[in-house]
Amino acid sequence: MSCIFCQIGAGTIPSKVLFKDDKVIAFRDINPQAPVHIVIIPRKHFTNLNDIKGDDFGLIAYIISIATELARSEGIAESGYRIAVNSGKEGGQVVGHLHFHLLGGRQLTGELG
Ligand code: AMP
Ligand code: ZN
């Protein structure tokens, strides 16, 4: 298994896990871009959003719900946060396992800010 996020999901690479169940795992980003920077992944390997079809969109909604719960538990729900998905090379995706970034705890800027 060469995918780093599959290995985090399997627990063979350690991470600072904040939430996990049978579908999803959320952990702190190793190179945080904000005071709160959490990566949320489906345990199942999808390369990026192009792999999501049909019923799998329900998993995307579930991941968003987990992200909003984590925003609350991290104390950034009211101050504000960003949920971002980089999909494909020009989208800025580096790790080829679909993942969602939850960012907050400072004023976010950048291309959408
Ligand atoms: P992306 O550019 O959207 O592919 O983002 C990949 C993210 O994964 C980056 O923010 C990395 O810092 C993060 N990352 C890479 N390896 C690890 C790891 N072992 N544990 C936690 N986060 C990681
Ligand atoms: Zn994977």
Side-chain angles (χ1 to χ4, degrees):
M1 186 166 43
S2 61
C3 171
I4 188 169
F5 283 178
C6 280
Q7 291 177 74
I8 285 177
T12 52
I13 289 180
S15 66
K16 294 181 181 167
V17 177
L18 297 169
F19 174 85
K20 61 179 176 179
D21 66 9
D22 59 328
K23 293 191 176 59
V24 165
I25 181 163
F27 51 91
R28 294 211 189 271
D29 197 290
I30 204 167
N31 182 25
Q33 304 300 306
V36 176
H37 188 172
I38 297 168
V39 177
I40 307 159
I41 65 168
R43 285 183 181 276
K44 185 174 172 190
H45 183 95
F46 299 95
T47 299
N48 59 38
L49 284 174
N50 295 336
D51 275 1
I52 302 295
K53 310 247 156 58
D55 289 348
D56 289 330
F57 281 105
L59 179 61
I60 303 302
Y62 180 60
I63 289 173
I64 299 286
S65 79
I66 299 299
T68 62
E69 280 179 27
L70 286 166
R72 268 190 285 278
S73 61
E74 293 287 312
I76 58 170
E78 299 308 320
S79 52
Y81 55 90
R82 181 177 297 164
I83 296 169
V85 184
N86 299 329
S87 193
K89 181 176 174 293
E90 291 194 0
Q93 185 178 14
V94 174
V95 176
H97 179 129
L98 176 66
H99 55 280
F100 291 65
H101 297 262
L102 172 65
L103 294 148
R106 67 168 170 83
Q107 180 63 55
L108 296 171
T109 57
E111 296 195 34
L112 299 175

